[in-house]
Amino acid sequence: MSTRIRRRTCGAFLIGLAPASMLAACSSGGGAEGAKSVRMLVNITDNLTQERWDALVAPFAEKTGIEVKIEGPTGQSVAESFPTLLASGTAPDVIQSILPSADTAPELLDLTDYAWASGTPMADLYSTGGAINVVGVGMQSQSLMYYNADLFAQAGITAPPTTWDEFDAALAALAAAGVGKPLGFAGDWATGVQAQQVWHPQQNITTPGWQQAVADGSSTLGDQFQPLFERITGWIEAGYTTADDIAIDSTTQEANFIAGDVGIYPMGSWFSTTLAASPPTFEVGIFSPPVENAADAPGPMGATLAFPYMVWQGSANVDAAAQLVEYLVSDEAAIAAQAEMDFFIREGPDTSSGNEYAAQVQEVTEQAPSFVVPGNQTVGDYALPVDGFNPKLTELVQGLWQGRTPTEVASDLTTWYEAEKQS
């Protein structure tokens, strides 16, 4: 099965009506008739504040009479807290911000028979064996290259590159023009994510359904990523990115881009929110990562589920919980409010809310021929059959900046995968 999925027509994502089935959704699990309270575990951040979550669910509570209690993580994150709460028998009714794992998937409500669930964004890409146990409001584009258009003009670059040869020529021109960081990678978690973001289009052209190819043994992780490692090594050797980059956290590197010190910065669609909050003094452009042949540009767009929601099937209030999730992913006002909290793409409506950078992201995303799942998805039909891929890729790929060869890093990635598959 291929991860290269044809784009849905806009009709599959049309919104604008309050959920017609809010009070008549089919029931699964031990829902209590007339339940009037739902607990929802959410990610709390600088932009996803308790106040904004409370405001988001207030219209639902007013309309249905169902009280919604917003809870932040009891540990460092929702991913850490949810399994702990499950084990203690105190799991919330609705869980936001994480995807099912091999351990938690059996505890989640199967939403397949709910008429509204199959029409949500990327429901097919994030299903497991055809069953839907997580739904989202939209998607966050991953395969994006933000660039300083003023530096491009100074370097004589007249158009964003579409092929690898053009990309390398653009980096060389930026360096020749005196740009200190032609290409901005960052440290910590960001290195592996950025590496994947740069590689999504080409990888899914070369090997559509590459996760399945690795899983069935017809390819290896090393085979899949060594060509990328070779390109990164070439950029390092040319001085376009240096070892200092992976010692810089993403927040600092984003500030460097905003200050005008970075030519090209790979990052997901959420960076557009940061730009809108601190607009640079220069013009910002966005393009899809390059591919080998111009005829294939733009390539498939790596994308992740935005605002994922799951329902605990052991909930005493399962019907009320399903009604809340339907509201969050289907109601026009709720979708708009969440887009303001953290930008995402949803086919059909404009979710950019006047954000010029988000509007550019939406334009680039709409040009993609298909959407593909990144390698760090933990469960589902389009996932690698092991956990921990993203942190391991980050750990290993950072070795390229420390002098390790592409062959060594690729070999270590394959060895890690084989050991994890056996455990």
Side-chain angles (χ1 to χ4, degrees), residues 12-13 68 140 145 174 198 229 236 239 258 276 308 310 319 335 410 418:
F13 293 106
V68 182
Q140 289 189 312
M145 310 289 265
L174 289 168
V198 169
F229 299 159
I236 294 168
I258 292 171
M310 309 182 299
D319 290 335
I335 291 169
E418 294 299 333

mmCIF file with all atom_site columns, all heavy atoms in Angstrom, residues 12-13 68 140 145 174 198 229 236 239 258 276 308 310 319 335 410 418:
data_model
loop_
_atom_site.group_PDB
_atom_site.id
_atom_site.type_symbol
_atom_site.label_atom_id
_atom_site.label_alt_id
_atom_site.label_comp_id
_atom_site.label_asym_id
_atom_site.label_entity_id
_atom_site.label_seq_id
_atom_site.pdbx_PDB_ins_code
_atom_site.Cartn_x
_atom_site.Cartn_y
_atom_site.Cartn_z
_atom_site.occupancy
_atom_site.B_iso_or_equiv
_atom_site.pdbx_formal_charge
_atom_site.auth_seq_id
_atom_site.auth_comp_id
_atom_site.auth_asym_id
_atom_site.auth_atom_id
_atom_site.pdbx_PDB_model_num
ATOM 1   N N   . ALA A 1 12  ? -14.858 16.912 0.098  1.00 0.00 ? 12  ALA A N   1
ATOM 2   C CA  . ALA A 1 12  ? -14.664 16.016 1.228  1.00 0.00 ? 12  ALA A CA  1
ATOM 3   C C   . ALA A 1 12  ? -14.378 16.766 2.499  1.00 0.00 ? 12  ALA A C   1
ATOM 4   O O   . ALA A 1 12  ? -14.473 16.217 3.586  1.00 0.00 ? 12  ALA A O   1
ATOM 5   C CB  . ALA A 1 12  ? -13.517 15.050 0.924  1.00 0.00 ? 12  ALA A CB  1
ATOM 6   N N   . PHE A 1 13  ? -14.014 18.040 2.386  1.00 0.00 ? 13  PHE A N   1
ATOM 7   C CA  . PHE A 1 13  ? -13.644 18.804 3.558  1.00 0.00 ? 13  PHE A CA  1
ATOM 8   C C   . PHE A 1 13  ? -14.563 20.004 3.787  1.00 0.00 ? 13  PHE A C   1
ATOM 9   O O   . PHE A 1 13  ? -14.250 20.878 4.577  1.00 0.00 ? 13  PHE A O   1
ATOM 10  C CB  . PHE A 1 13  ? -12.206 19.324 3.414  1.00 0.00 ? 13  PHE A CB  1
ATOM 11  C CG  . PHE A 1 13  ? -11.190 18.231 3.433  1.00 0.00 ? 13  PHE A CG  1
ATOM 12  C CD1 . PHE A 1 13  ? -10.571 17.862 2.265  1.00 0.00 ? 13  PHE A CD1 1
ATOM 13  C CD2 . PHE A 1 13  ? -10.860 17.584 4.607  1.00 0.00 ? 13  PHE A CD2 1
ATOM 14  C CE1 . PHE A 1 13  ? -9.620  16.867 2.268  1.00 0.00 ? 13  PHE A CE1 1
ATOM 15  C CE2 . PHE A 1 13  ? -9.906  16.591 4.612  1.00 0.00 ? 13  PHE A CE2 1
ATOM 16  C CZ  . PHE A 1 13  ? -9.286  16.231 3.442  1.00 0.00 ? 13  PHE A CZ  1
ATOM 17  N N   . VAL A 1 68  ? -17.435 20.850 29.742 1.00 0.00 ? 68  VAL A N   1
ATOM 18  C CA  . VAL A 1 68  ? -16.132 20.377 29.270 1.00 0.00 ? 68  VAL A CA  1
ATOM 19  C C   . VAL A 1 68  ? -15.065 20.880 30.226 1.00 0.00 ? 68  VAL A C   1
ATOM 20  O O   . VAL A 1 68  ? -14.906 22.093 30.422 1.00 0.00 ? 68  VAL A O   1
ATOM 21  C CB  . VAL A 1 68  ? -15.830 20.865 27.836 1.00 0.00 ? 68  VAL A CB  1
ATOM 22  C CG1 . VAL A 1 68  ? -14.482 20.317 27.371 1.00 0.00 ? 68  VAL A CG1 1
ATOM 23  C CG2 . VAL A 1 68  ? -16.935 20.429 26.880 1.00 0.00 ? 68  VAL A CG2 1
ATOM 24  N N   . GLN A 1 140 ? -0.876  19.995 9.099  1.00 0.00 ? 140 GLN A N   1
ATOM 25  C CA  . GLN A 1 140 ? 0.249   20.923 9.135  1.00 0.00 ? 140 GLN A CA  1
ATOM 26  C C   . GLN A 1 140 ? 1.267   20.465 8.098  1.00 0.00 ? 140 GLN A C   1
ATOM 27  O O   . GLN A 1 140 ? 1.791   19.351 8.167  1.00 0.00 ? 140 GLN A O   1
ATOM 28  C CB  . GLN A 1 140 ? 0.862   20.970 10.535 1.00 0.00 ? 140 GLN A CB  1
ATOM 29  C CG  . GLN A 1 140 ? -0.042  21.665 11.536 1.00 0.00 ? 140 GLN A CG  1
ATOM 30  C CD  . GLN A 1 140 ? 0.613   21.916 12.869 1.00 0.00 ? 140 GLN A CD  1
ATOM 31  O OE1 . GLN A 1 140 ? 1.216   21.036 13.448 1.00 0.00 ? 140 GLN A OE1 1
ATOM 32  N NE2 . GLN A 1 140 ? 0.485   23.140 13.376 1.00 0.00 ? 140 GLN A NE2 1
ATOM 33  N N   . MET A 1 145 ? 10.231  25.284 2.674  1.00 0.00 ? 145 MET A N   1
ATOM 34  C CA  . MET A 1 145 ? 11.512  25.978 2.752  1.00 0.00 ? 145 MET A CA  1
ATOM 35  C C   . MET A 1 145 ? 11.223  27.484 2.776  1.00 0.00 ? 145 MET A C   1
ATOM 36  O O   . MET A 1 145 ? 10.752  28.051 1.781  1.00 0.00 ? 145 MET A O   1
ATOM 37  C CB  . MET A 1 145 ? 12.395  25.634 1.546  1.00 0.00 ? 145 MET A CB  1
ATOM 38  C CG  . MET A 1 145 ? 12.531  24.142 1.274  1.00 0.00 ? 145 MET A CG  1
ATOM 39  S SD  . MET A 1 145 ? 13.538  23.294 2.504  1.00 0.00 ? 145 MET A SD  1
ATOM 40  C CE  . MET A 1 145 ? 15.124  23.317 1.688  1.00 0.00 ? 145 MET A CE  1
ATOM 41  N N   . LEU A 1 174 ? 24.306  32.347 -2.477 1.00 0.00 ? 174 LEU A N   1
ATOM 42  C CA  . LEU A 1 174 ? 24.132  33.012 -1.181 1.00 0.00 ? 174 LEU A CA  1
ATOM 43  C C   . LEU A 1 174 ? 25.467  33.130 -0.453 1.00 0.00 ? 174 LEU A C   1
ATOM 44  O O   . LEU A 1 174 ? 25.803  34.173 0.114  1.00 0.00 ? 174 LEU A O   1
ATOM 45  C CB  . LEU A 1 174 ? 23.130  32.229 -0.322 1.00 0.00 ? 174 LEU A CB  1
ATOM 46  C CG  . LEU A 1 174 ? 21.658  32.297 -0.769 1.00 0.00 ? 174 LEU A CG  1
ATOM 47  C CD1 . LEU A 1 174 ? 20.828  31.259 -0.023 1.00 0.00 ? 174 LEU A CD1 1
ATOM 48  C CD2 . LEU A 1 174 ? 21.086  33.696 -0.525 1.00 0.00 ? 174 LEU A CD2 1
ATOM 49  N N   . VAL A 1 198 ? 13.097  18.210 4.339  1.00 0.00 ? 198 VAL A N   1
ATOM 50  C CA  . VAL A 1 198 ? 13.818  18.445 3.089  1.00 0.00 ? 198 VAL A CA  1
ATOM 51  C C   . VAL A 1 198 ? 13.651  17.261 2.137  1.00 0.00 ? 198 VAL A C   1
ATOM 52  O O   . VAL A 1 198 ? 13.604  17.439 0.918  1.00 0.00 ? 198 VAL A O   1
ATOM 53  C CB  . VAL A 1 198 ? 15.311  18.695 3.386  1.00 0.00 ? 198 VAL A CB  1
ATOM 54  C CG1 . VAL A 1 198 ? 16.136  18.677 2.106  1.00 0.00 ? 198 VAL A CG1 1
ATOM 55  C CG2 . VAL A 1 198 ? 15.499  20.019 4.126  1.00 0.00 ? 198 VAL A CG2 1
ATOM 56  N N   . PHE A 1 229 ? 21.685  11.957 3.326  1.00 0.00 ? 229 PHE A N   1
ATOM 57  C CA  . PHE A 1 229 ? 22.887  12.166 4.132  1.00 0.00 ? 229 PHE A CA  1
ATOM 58  C C   . PHE A 1 229 ? 24.046  12.653 3.271  1.00 0.00 ? 229 PHE A C   1
ATOM 59  O O   . PHE A 1 229 ? 24.850  13.492 3.694  1.00 0.00 ? 229 PHE A O   1
ATOM 60  C CB  . PHE A 1 229 ? 23.287  10.875 4.843  1.00 0.00 ? 229 PHE A CB  1
ATOM 61  C CG  . PHE A 1 229 ? 22.245  10.349 5.804  1.00 0.00 ? 229 PHE A CG  1
ATOM 62  C CD1 . PHE A 1 229 ? 22.253  9.007  6.180  1.00 0.00 ? 229 PHE A CD1 1
ATOM 63  C CD2 . PHE A 1 229 ? 21.271  11.174 6.333  1.00 0.00 ? 229 PHE A CD2 1
ATOM 64  C CE1 . PHE A 1 229 ? 21.311  8.512  7.058  1.00 0.00 ? 229 PHE A CE1 1
ATOM 65  C CE2 . PHE A 1 229 ? 20.312  10.689 7.218  1.00 0.00 ? 229 PHE A CE2 1
ATOM 66  C CZ  . PHE A 1 229 ? 20.338  9.344  7.580  1.00 0.00 ? 229 PHE A CZ  1
ATOM 67  N N   . ILE A 1 236 ? 27.578  20.622 4.263  1.00 0.00 ? 236 ILE A N   1
ATOM 68  C CA  . ILE A 1 236 ? 28.489  20.868 5.382  1.00 0.00 ? 236 ILE A CA  1
ATOM 69  C C   . ILE A 1 236 ? 29.899  21.158 4.862  1.00 0.00 ? 236 ILE A C   1
ATOM 70  O O   . ILE A 1 236 ? 30.563  22.105 5.296  1.00 0.00 ? 236 ILE A O   1
ATOM 71  C CB  . ILE A 1 236 ? 28.505  19.660 6.341  1.00 0.00 ? 236 ILE A CB  1
ATOM 72  C CG1 . ILE A 1 236 ? 27.127  19.504 7.018  1.00 0.00 ? 236 ILE A CG1 1
ATOM 73  C CG2 . ILE A 1 236 ? 29.587  19.821 7.410  1.00 0.00 ? 236 ILE A CG2 1
ATOM 74  C CD1 . ILE A 1 236 ? 26.962  18.186 7.754  1.00 0.00 ? 236 ILE A CD1 1
ATOM 75  N N   . GLY A 1 239 ? 30.355  24.505 3.598  1.00 0.00 ? 239 GLY A N   1
ATOM 76  C CA  . GLY A 1 239 ? 30.203  25.574 4.575  1.00 0.00 ? 239 GLY A CA  1
ATOM 77  C C   . GLY A 1 239 ? 28.840  26.245 4.579  1.00 0.00 ? 239 GLY A C   1
ATOM 78  O O   . GLY A 1 239 ? 28.668  27.286 5.234  1.00 0.00 ? 239 GLY A O   1
ATOM 79  N N   . ILE A 1 258 ? 14.722  35.458 11.296 1.00 0.00 ? 258 ILE A N   1
ATOM 80  C CA  . ILE A 1 258 ? 13.953  36.700 11.362 1.00 0.00 ? 258 ILE A CA  1
ATOM 81  C C   . ILE A 1 258 ? 14.873  37.923 11.371 1.00 0.00 ? 258 ILE A C   1
ATOM 82  O O   . ILE A 1 258 ? 14.532  38.984 10.827 1.00 0.00 ? 258 ILE A O   1
ATOM 83  C CB  . ILE A 1 258 ? 13.037  36.682 12.606 1.00 0.00 ? 258 ILE A CB  1
ATOM 84  C CG1 . ILE A 1 258 ? 11.939  35.626 12.414 1.00 0.00 ? 258 ILE A CG1 1
ATOM 85  C CG2 . ILE A 1 258 ? 12.424  38.049 12.880 1.00 0.00 ? 258 ILE A CG2 1
ATOM 86  C CD1 . ILE A 1 258 ? 11.108  35.345 13.646 1.00 0.00 ? 258 ILE A CD1 1
ATOM 87  N N   . ALA A 1 276 ? 4.452   35.666 11.853 1.00 0.00 ? 276 ALA A N   1
ATOM 88  C CA  . ALA A 1 276 ? 3.386   36.664 11.980 1.00 0.00 ? 276 ALA A CA  1
ATOM 89  C C   . ALA A 1 276 ? 3.492   37.417 13.298 1.00 0.00 ? 276 ALA A C   1
ATOM 90  O O   . ALA A 1 276 ? 3.160   38.604 13.363 1.00 0.00 ? 276 ALA A O   1
ATOM 91  C CB  . ALA A 1 276 ? 2.025   35.979 11.880 1.00 0.00 ? 276 ALA A CB  1
ATOM 92  N N   . PRO A 1 308 ? -4.986  16.636 16.537 1.00 0.00 ? 308 PRO A N   1
ATOM 93  C CA  . PRO A 1 308 ? -5.577  15.290 16.582 1.00 0.00 ? 308 PRO A CA  1
ATOM 94  C C   . PRO A 1 308 ? -6.377  15.082 17.867 1.00 0.00 ? 308 PRO A C   1
ATOM 95  O O   . PRO A 1 308 ? -5.977  15.529 18.941 1.00 0.00 ? 308 PRO A O   1
ATOM 96  C CB  . PRO A 1 308 ? -4.352  14.367 16.534 1.00 0.00 ? 308 PRO A CB  1
ATOM 97  C CG  . PRO A 1 308 ? -3.225  15.195 17.050 1.00 0.00 ? 308 PRO A CG  1
ATOM 98  C CD  . PRO A 1 308 ? -3.520  16.603 16.648 1.00 0.00 ? 308 PRO A CD  1
ATOM 99  N N   . MET A 1 310 ? -8.656  12.019 20.104 1.00 0.00 ? 310 MET A N   1
ATOM 100 C CA  . MET A 1 310 ? -9.007  10.622 20.310 1.00 0.00 ? 310 MET A CA  1
ATOM 101 C C   . MET A 1 310 ? -9.994  10.538 21.473 1.00 0.00 ? 310 MET A C   1
ATOM 102 O O   . MET A 1 310 ? -9.991  11.390 22.360 1.00 0.00 ? 310 MET A O   1
ATOM 103 C CB  . MET A 1 310 ? -7.759  9.795  20.630 1.00 0.00 ? 310 MET A CB  1
ATOM 104 C CG  . MET A 1 310 ? -6.614  9.993  19.653 1.00 0.00 ? 310 MET A CG  1
ATOM 105 S SD  . MET A 1 310 ? -5.158  8.971  20.007 1.00 0.00 ? 310 MET A SD  1
ATOM 106 C CE  . MET A 1 310 ? -4.695  9.551  21.657 1.00 0.00 ? 310 MET A CE  1
ATOM 107 N N   . ASP A 1 319 ? -20.487 8.889  24.627 1.00 0.00 ? 319 ASP A N   1
ATOM 108 C CA  . ASP A 1 319 ? -21.315 9.572  23.629 1.00 0.00 ? 319 ASP A CA  1
ATOM 109 C C   . ASP A 1 319 ? -21.097 11.089 23.666 1.00 0.00 ? 319 ASP A C   1
ATOM 110 O O   . ASP A 1 319 ? -20.987 11.742 22.632 1.00 0.00 ? 319 ASP A O   1
ATOM 111 C CB  . ASP A 1 319 ? -22.797 9.263  23.864 1.00 0.00 ? 319 ASP A CB  1
ATOM 112 C CG  . ASP A 1 319 ? -23.144 7.820  23.528 1.00 0.00 ? 319 ASP A CG  1
ATOM 113 O OD1 . ASP A 1 319 ? -22.420 7.222  22.708 1.00 0.00 ? 319 ASP A OD1 1
ATOM 114 O OD2 . ASP A 1 319 ? -24.125 7.305  24.089 1.00 0.00 ? 319 ASP A OD2 1
ATOM 115 N N   . ILE A 1 335 ? -13.374 25.409 14.058 1.00 0.00 ? 335 ILE A N   1
ATOM 116 C CA  . ILE A 1 335 ? -12.204 25.225 13.189 1.00 0.00 ? 335 ILE A CA  1
ATOM 117 C C   . ILE A 1 335 ? -11.446 26.541 13.045 1.00 0.00 ? 335 ILE A C   1
ATOM 118 O O   . ILE A 1 335 ? -10.218 26.581 13.137 1.00 0.00 ? 335 ILE A O   1
ATOM 119 C CB  . ILE A 1 335 ? -12.643 24.678 11.818 1.00 0.00 ? 335 ILE A CB  1
ATOM 120 C CG1 . ILE A 1 335 ? -13.144 23.240 11.973 1.00 0.00 ? 335 ILE A CG1 1
ATOM 121 C CG2 . ILE A 1 335 ? -11.490 24.733 10.815 1.00 0.00 ? 335 ILE A CG2 1
ATOM 122 C CD1 . ILE A 1 335 ? -13.845 22.700 10.750 1.00 0.00 ? 335 ILE A CD1 1
ATOM 123 N N   . ALA A 1 410 ? 24.044  5.880  7.704  1.00 0.00 ? 410 ALA A N   1
ATOM 124 C CA  . ALA A 1 410 ? 23.003  5.043  7.099  1.00 0.00 ? 410 ALA A CA  1
ATOM 125 C C   . ALA A 1 410 ? 23.063  3.620  7.650  1.00 0.00 ? 410 ALA A C   1
ATOM 126 O O   . ALA A 1 410 ? 22.028  3.012  7.950  1.00 0.00 ? 410 ALA A O   1
ATOM 127 C CB  . ALA A 1 410 ? 23.165  5.034  5.583  1.00 0.00 ? 410 ALA A CB  1
ATOM 128 N N   . GLU A 1 418 ? 16.727  -2.767 12.682 1.00 0.00 ? 418 GLU A N   1
ATOM 129 C CA  . GLU A 1 418 ? 16.676  -4.228 12.774 1.00 0.00 ? 418 GLU A CA  1
ATOM 130 C C   . GLU A 1 418 ? 16.651  -4.686 14.220 1.00 0.00 ? 418 GLU A C   1
ATOM 131 O O   . GLU A 1 418 ? 15.926  -5.636 14.576 1.00 0.00 ? 418 GLU A O   1
ATOM 132 C CB  . GLU A 1 418 ? 17.870  -4.843 12.034 1.00 0.00 ? 418 GLU A CB  1
ATOM 133 C CG  . GLU A 1 418 ? 17.857  -4.609 10.528 1.00 0.00 ? 418 GLU A CG  1
ATOM 134 C CD  . GLU A 1 418 ? 16.639  -5.206 9.842  1.00 0.00 ? 418 GLU A CD  1
ATOM 135 O OE1 . GLU A 1 418 ? 16.083  -6.196 10.358 1.00 0.00 ? 418 GLU A OE1 1
ATOM 136 O OE2 . GLU A 1 418 ? 16.226  -4.670 8.788  1.00 0.00 ? 418 GLU A OE2 1
#
